[in-house]
Amino acid sequence: MNRSNSPETGFIDPSGANAEAIRDLTEDVLDQLLGQLGAAEKRSPLPDESTAPTGTIPESPRSQTDLLDDLETIAAGSMNPAHPGYIGHMDTMPTTVSVLGDLVASAVNNNMLSVEMSPVFSELEVQLTETIASEFGLGPNAGGVLASGGSLANLHALSVARNQAFDVHDDGLAGLDGEPVLFASDVAHTSLQKAAMLLGLGTDAVVAVETNANSRMKPSALNQAVEQAERDGRVPFCVVATAGTTTTGNIDPLPAVRDVVDEHDLWFHVDAAYGGALVFSEAERDRLDGIEGADSVTFNPQKWCYVAKTCAMALFADLDILQEDFRVGAPYMRGDDAIPNLGELSVQGTRRAEVLKLWLTFQHLGREGLGQLIDESYRLAAVIRDRVADQDALELASEPEMNIVCFRAAPDWCPPDERDALNGRLQRYLLSRQDVFVSLPTYRDTRWLRVVLLNPFTDKTTLDRLFDGIDLFLEAERP
Amino acid sequence: MNRSNSPETGFIDPSGANAEAIRDLTEDVLDQLLGQLGAAEKRSPLPDESTAPTGTIPESPRSQTDLLDDLETIAAGSMNPAHPGYIGHMDTMPTTVSVLGDLVASAVNNNMLSVEMSPVFSELEVQLTETIASEFGLGPNAGGVLASGGSLANLHALSVARNQAFDVHDDGLAGLDGEPVLFASDVAHTSLQKAAMLLGLGTDAVVAVETNANSRMKPSALNQAVEQAERDGRVPFCVVATAGTTTTGNIDPLPAVRDVVDEHDLWFHVDAAYGGALVFSEAERDRLDGIEGADSVTFNPQKWCYVAKTCAMALFADLDILQEDFRVGAPYMRGDDAIPNLGELSVQGTRRAEVLKLWLTFQHLGREGLGQLIDESYRLAAVIRDRVADQDALELASEPEMNIVCFRAAPDWCPPDERDALNGRLQRYLLSRQDVFVSLPTYRDTRWLRVVLLNPFTDKTTLDRLFDGIDLFLEAERP
């Protein structure tokens, strides 16, 4: 390469000519990065003020020293899910091998668009999605495709459900008799509305089904909603059950929901983006009973399987349906292999090999290791739940079913209409004084504190800091 | 962390307790990876037989030694775009800093869903997309959002175009009077059909506009197609011009297309997934003249900016339109910042910080370095084009406008109906005998050889191998 103005390390020379310079640069980046991650508990779980470098494009190359300085500032100002006090969102510290898997995937830069562009990775993705579909009991013809995030997996599943019900692949929805509608609980994820908007159904096509006090869909309400929609001349085609609601981590009663789905002959999608990981815990996997009846499942290993994001998938009980009701062919790709060109069967076209970090994580932790992480997070959740329940000034949003506990301060001395503000102040207090980050979602029109126990280094001392902080805060605020 | 069955290196301990073991593992992976990449020219550009490890989930953790062995096999069997003879697809060897940027992005595992989850990266993405939109001349209110691949960027742009034209965000398309249609050249990318299918328009809503002999849309044909659609009672709402067609790298005449668009008051989308990179070449950027009139632009730095995939973006001349015609809110996110929650404004929700590798690539190469890479690939393309034109037995598919040359062997001794097979054999011969990988797309119902000059280490000796191989092959096949 003789591009005079490019830095010597611009690309990794395939003849090894710049091996030493590449080695030096990568070592420098690695030293700095591992130094920061190995001291992650020393900075805040969430920096209160971050400065991004300017998003401009310099005329000439900048020095590697400058770039390393900037990289250090960037990492230091970022959300810090590696801190044991980061217990606020479904964002994990990633497994070591998933980070290394991403490094390798980027370096070899294969493309999941076609088998020719990713011979090993396409085969691995087909196999591993079959394995996981089988874990969920989806049957002998099941499999799926990875997606860069759960919103895309939900979009993929709902597009197939829509196409299968209405035969609109070629002709579209305009002029269709009757308005297609789908059903999901009133606390289901907003990616369903986004998918409905994108799919030309409109956000109003997602009918919100009533939930009980613990955020689980009421099957009787689902049945009524479907029948009401039919009476209104709308056309039900799909029900989405949630296994792991975003705010409180609850699971819809899958068998009872499925009974309603079957009665009305609808597509049954289970959004197990979060809760799907339970199949890897012997102790907890029966919470997913009923998922085996799904037509499609969304599952995000980027959450409770600790895989660096993004890593999600749409699984289908009958994988052939992708060929029949989804596929859009690409004439510039070779297509004569036993393994399909995955880009023709998924929402994305070009995709990175996200299967590698997922596969490595399974190999490195094993089912046992993953199960133990899940089980341990249940134990911590039980501790929090009990401490909240024991304290008069606190209330639970919902009875926990996973490693998520949503609660808030509701002391009798604070009027109900001032409690949102109180909990907002409490959240900031916990972060600034106790190095504990909990999130502050809106749930049933009220602000709550939400704990998501996804950091393997979070332990009882972290929980003590949390509850000590709550006590100190309430003591200070009490009139 | 006391999960007995997890390997010591499962996670990077935030207290530094396992720093040494982590260091050892990462060094081992890095040694192996850099060793393979620094000898990439010693293995085939595209392995003819690859073996994936089994996609199963072991009960117990496997040893790191085993995983390293598997990783070596995986990388060795993968598509090898680092080989200077890999000149077959729009898949690059990535810049060094984009690989390292992905490493850092995975390690810190931030989430572009919201500002709270990616304080630095969200700001950087907003700034850098503004900078790039400004490069295209999209005006003072322009900006955009990154997407994990160009198909998603096209989907994003077309969804906004659709929503803006028909007000279907909430209510959907069912019952709409008239069938919405969009227009693109007959060689435009199939992601437009996929987007139309997903958006509920149907693949038939993409009206194919005739192109000239060099694969460029005919503006007069566009005008006729729009008027014909109107006479047929269909409702035109959008025109997509392509800047860099997938197979031959041609550019629709943007100013003339825009005149037709303006006359009919349609949305103007430019799919510059490939060609957008030309803004960084002083010598070639005027080929994009007219793009400044676009309402939206797709641009993929994962192609000609050498950024590890995925890295793509949808840019909008009026960014506010995302708030008005696209946004789906998420109640579990904080939303009181100057920087928007990008997950509410893009097709994806959770997203990795792909902006980092893009920003690093710009900083490390500079505009000059990038421009020189682009210009050099033009010089090589001109050499190939001239050698094809000089040889009677070869013919060009289209006059090159970029670093893509599409041609085929068409010797007079080979009957026209046997030429597809001949070129198929020629492609395999070049790979197996000359270590040169060209792709074999179908274009205008015929098979062609396609050269995409994206490897910075490809030089005239590579091209000599290519043409020597063609000579040898034709000599051997001649009756």
Side-chain angles (χ1 to χ4, degrees), chain A residues 12 25 39 46 72 75 87 91 132 135 173 215 246 287 318 420:
Chain A
I12 300 174
L25 172 59
L46 193 70
E72 187 163 29
I87 49 174
D91 289 282
I132 295 170
E135 291 283 343
L173 287 157
S215 299
T246 307
R287 293 180 187 266
D318 175 11
D420 277 7

PDB file of all heavy atoms in Angstrom, chain A residues 12 25 39 46 72 75 87 91 132 135 173 215 246 287 318 420:
ATOM      1  N   ILE A  12      -4.340  -3.355   8.466  1.00  0.00           N
ATOM      2  CA  ILE A  12      -3.424  -4.435   8.828  1.00  0.00           C
ATOM      3  C   ILE A  12      -2.901  -5.047   7.536  1.00  0.00           C
ATOM      4  O   ILE A  12      -3.669  -5.664   6.781  1.00  0.00           O
ATOM      5  CB  ILE A  12      -4.138  -5.492   9.690  1.00  0.00           C
ATOM      6  CG1 ILE A  12      -4.656  -4.836  10.979  1.00  0.00           C
ATOM      7  CG2 ILE A  12      -3.194  -6.656  10.004  1.00  0.00           C
ATOM      8  CD1 ILE A  12      -5.496  -5.753  11.841  1.00  0.00           C
ATOM      9  N   LEU A  25      -0.056  -0.405  18.387  1.00  0.00           N
ATOM     10  CA  LEU A  25      -1.312   0.341  18.511  1.00  0.00           C
ATOM     11  C   LEU A  25      -2.363  -0.472  19.274  1.00  0.00           C
ATOM     12  O   LEU A  25      -3.024   0.042  20.193  1.00  0.00           O
ATOM     13  CB  LEU A  25      -1.845   0.714  17.118  1.00  0.00           C
ATOM     14  CG  LEU A  25      -3.247   1.340  17.068  1.00  0.00           C
ATOM     15  CD1 LEU A  25      -3.320   2.632  17.877  1.00  0.00           C
ATOM     16  CD2 LEU A  25      -3.672   1.605  15.618  1.00  0.00           C
ATOM     17  N   ALA A  39     -10.840  -1.121  36.638  1.00  0.00           N
ATOM     18  CA  ALA A  39     -11.044  -0.155  37.725  1.00  0.00           C
ATOM     19  C   ALA A  39     -12.427   0.479  37.602  1.00  0.00           C
ATOM     20  O   ALA A  39     -12.662   1.591  38.076  1.00  0.00           O
ATOM     21  CB  ALA A  39      -9.955   0.919  37.664  1.00  0.00           C
ATOM     22  N   LEU A  46     -22.875   5.975  36.416  1.00  0.00           N
ATOM     23  CA  LEU A  46     -23.400   6.810  35.324  1.00  0.00           C
ATOM     24  C   LEU A  46     -22.852   8.207  35.515  1.00  0.00           C
ATOM     25  O   LEU A  46     -23.318   8.937  36.395  1.00  0.00           O
ATOM     26  CB  LEU A  46     -24.933   6.827  35.356  1.00  0.00           C
ATOM     27  CG  LEU A  46     -25.605   7.388  34.121  1.00  0.00           C
ATOM     28  CD1 LEU A  46     -25.451   6.457  32.925  1.00  0.00           C
ATOM     29  CD2 LEU A  46     -27.087   7.633  34.394  1.00  0.00           C
ATOM     30  N   GLU A  72      -9.843   7.460  25.765  1.00  0.00           N
ATOM     31  CA  GLU A  72      -9.898   7.377  27.231  1.00  0.00           C
ATOM     32  C   GLU A  72     -11.025   8.260  27.778  1.00  0.00           C
ATOM     33  O   GLU A  72     -11.793   7.845  28.647  1.00  0.00           O
ATOM     34  CB  GLU A  72      -8.552   7.801  27.820  1.00  0.00           C
ATOM     35  CG  GLU A  72      -8.477   7.582  29.320  1.00  0.00           C
ATOM     36  CD  GLU A  72      -7.033   7.604  29.833  1.00  0.00           C
ATOM     37  OE1 GLU A  72      -6.193   8.299  29.221  1.00  0.00           O
ATOM     38  OE2 GLU A  72      -6.767   6.924  30.844  1.00  0.00           O
ATOM     39  N   ALA A  75     -14.475   6.616  26.919  1.00  0.00           N
ATOM     40  CA  ALA A  75     -14.835   5.491  27.793  1.00  0.00           C
ATOM     41  C   ALA A  75     -15.140   5.980  29.202  1.00  0.00           C
ATOM     42  O   ALA A  75     -16.070   5.498  29.854  1.00  0.00           O
ATOM     43  CB  ALA A  75     -13.709   4.452  27.796  1.00  0.00           C
ATOM     44  N   ILE A  87     -27.394  -0.941  38.513  1.00  0.00           N
ATOM     45  CA  ILE A  87     -28.489  -1.923  38.541  1.00  0.00           C
ATOM     46  C   ILE A  87     -29.770  -1.261  38.040  1.00  0.00           C
ATOM     47  O   ILE A  87     -30.852  -1.479  38.601  1.00  0.00           O
ATOM     48  CB  ILE A  87     -28.682  -2.507  39.962  1.00  0.00           C
ATOM     49  CG1 ILE A  87     -28.759  -1.384  41.009  1.00  0.00           C
ATOM     50  CG2 ILE A  87     -27.541  -3.452  40.325  1.00  0.00           C
ATOM     51  CD1 ILE A  87     -29.100  -1.879  42.413  1.00  0.00           C
ATOM     52  N   ASP A  91     -29.083  -3.424  30.732  1.00  0.00           N
ATOM     53  CA  ASP A  91     -27.800  -3.302  30.054  1.00  0.00           C
ATOM     54  C   ASP A  91     -26.738  -3.930  30.930  1.00  0.00           C
ATOM     55  O   ASP A  91     -26.514  -3.499  32.061  1.00  0.00           O
ATOM     56  CB  ASP A  91     -27.486  -1.827  29.790  1.00  0.00           C
ATOM     57  CG  ASP A  91     -28.392  -1.256  28.719  1.00  0.00           C
ATOM     58  OD1 ASP A  91     -28.137  -1.522  27.541  1.00  0.00           O
ATOM     59  OD2 ASP A  91     -29.394  -0.594  29.071  1.00  0.00           O
ATOM     60  N   ILE A 132     -31.384 -23.176  19.821  1.00  0.00           N
ATOM     61  CA  ILE A 132     -32.129 -22.363  20.788  1.00  0.00           C
ATOM     62  C   ILE A 132     -33.628 -22.534  20.586  1.00  0.00           C
ATOM     63  O   ILE A 132     -34.396 -22.623  21.554  1.00  0.00           O
ATOM     64  CB  ILE A 132     -31.686 -20.895  20.684  1.00  0.00           C
ATOM     65  CG1 ILE A 132     -30.204 -20.781  21.099  1.00  0.00           C
ATOM     66  CG2 ILE A 132     -32.554 -19.997  21.570  1.00  0.00           C
ATOM     67  CD1 ILE A 132     -29.569 -19.444  20.819  1.00  0.00           C
ATOM     68  N   GLU A 135     -34.509 -25.497  22.375  1.00  0.00           N
ATOM     69  CA  GLU A 135     -34.595 -25.249  23.821  1.00  0.00           C
ATOM     70  C   GLU A 135     -35.997 -24.768  24.216  1.00  0.00           C
ATOM     71  O   GLU A 135     -36.516 -25.113  25.267  1.00  0.00           O
ATOM     72  CB  GLU A 135     -33.582 -24.175  24.252  1.00  0.00           C
ATOM     73  CG  GLU A 135     -32.129 -24.582  24.175  1.00  0.00           C
ATOM     74  CD  GLU A 135     -31.726 -25.493  25.328  1.00  0.00           C
ATOM     75  OE1 GLU A 135     -32.461 -25.543  26.334  1.00  0.00           O
ATOM     76  OE2 GLU A 135     -30.689 -26.167  25.204  1.00  0.00           O
ATOM     77  N   LEU A 173     -51.094  -3.323   1.783  1.00  0.00           N
ATOM     78  CA  LEU A 173     -52.290  -3.271   2.620  1.00  0.00           C
ATOM     79  C   LEU A 173     -53.374  -2.335   2.098  1.00  0.00           C
ATOM     80  O   LEU A 173     -54.530  -2.428   2.534  1.00  0.00           O
ATOM     81  CB  LEU A 173     -51.900  -2.800   4.026  1.00  0.00           C
ATOM     82  CG  LEU A 173     -51.141  -3.782   4.913  1.00  0.00           C
ATOM     83  CD1 LEU A 173     -50.361  -3.024   5.985  1.00  0.00           C
ATOM     84  CD2 LEU A 173     -52.106  -4.775   5.549  1.00  0.00           C
ATOM     85  N   SER A 215     -49.009  -7.062  36.570  1.00  0.00           N
ATOM     86  CA  SER A 215     -48.556  -6.783  35.201  1.00  0.00           C
ATOM     87  C   SER A 215     -48.651  -7.964  34.261  1.00  0.00           C
ATOM     88  O   SER A 215     -47.980  -8.008  33.239  1.00  0.00           O
ATOM     89  CB  SER A 215     -47.099  -6.285  35.206  1.00  0.00           C
ATOM     90  OG  SER A 215     -47.000  -5.100  35.928  1.00  0.00           O
ATOM     91  N   THR A 246     -40.799  -5.024  30.381  1.00  0.00           N
ATOM     92  CA  THR A 246     -39.647  -4.132  30.461  1.00  0.00           C
ATOM     93  C   THR A 246     -39.506  -3.482  31.837  1.00  0.00           C
ATOM     94  O   THR A 246     -38.403  -3.390  32.376  1.00  0.00           O
ATOM     95  CB  THR A 246     -39.778  -3.030  29.390  1.00  0.00           C
ATOM     96  OG1 THR A 246     -39.991  -3.667  28.136  1.00  0.00           O
ATOM     97  CG2 THR A 246     -38.516  -2.195  29.321  1.00  0.00           C
ATOM     98  N   ARG A 287     -41.013 -21.421  34.328  1.00  0.00           N
ATOM     99  CA  ARG A 287     -41.776 -20.171  34.219  1.00  0.00           C
ATOM    100  C   ARG A 287     -42.154 -19.866  32.759  1.00  0.00           C
ATOM    101  O   ARG A 287     -43.034 -19.059  32.500  1.00  0.00           O
ATOM    102  CB  ARG A 287     -40.961 -18.990  34.760  1.00  0.00           C
ATOM    103  CG  ARG A 287     -40.710 -19.057  36.267  1.00  0.00           C
ATOM    104  CD  ARG A 287     -39.893 -17.849  36.703  1.00  0.00           C
ATOM    105  NE  ARG A 287     -39.489 -17.936  38.091  1.00  0.00           N
ATOM    106  CZ  ARG A 287     -40.177 -17.389  39.108  1.00  0.00           C
ATOM    107  NH1 ARG A 287     -41.298 -16.737  38.863  1.00  0.00           N
ATOM    108  NH2 ARG A 287     -39.742 -17.505  40.338  1.00  0.00           N
ATOM    109  N   ASP A 318     -42.083 -22.721  12.276  1.00  0.00           N
ATOM    110  CA  ASP A 318     -41.977 -23.280  10.929  1.00  0.00           C
ATOM    111  C   ASP A 318     -41.094 -22.367  10.099  1.00  0.00           C
ATOM    112  O   ASP A 318     -41.550 -21.366   9.558  1.00  0.00           O
ATOM    113  CB  ASP A 318     -43.371 -23.394  10.312  1.00  0.00           C
ATOM    114  CG  ASP A 318     -43.304 -23.863   8.869  1.00  0.00           C
ATOM    115  OD1 ASP A 318     -42.216 -24.298   8.426  1.00  0.00           O
ATOM    116  OD2 ASP A 318     -44.338 -23.793   8.174  1.00  0.00           O
ATOM    117  N   ASP A 420     -43.838  11.442  42.881  1.00  0.00           N
ATOM    118  CA  ASP A 420     -42.993  11.341  41.684  1.00  0.00           C
ATOM    119  C   ASP A 420     -41.714  12.150  41.880  1.00  0.00           C
ATOM    120  O   ASP A 420     -40.609  11.682  41.615  1.00  0.00           O
ATOM    121  CB  ASP A 420     -43.731  11.852  40.450  1.00  0.00           C
ATOM    122  CG  ASP A 420     -44.639  10.779  39.834  1.00  0.00           C
ATOM    123  OD1 ASP A 420     -44.783   9.711  40.458  1.00  0.00           O
ATOM    124  OD2 ASP A 420     -45.189  11.029  38.750  1.00  0.00           O
TER     125      ASP A 420
END
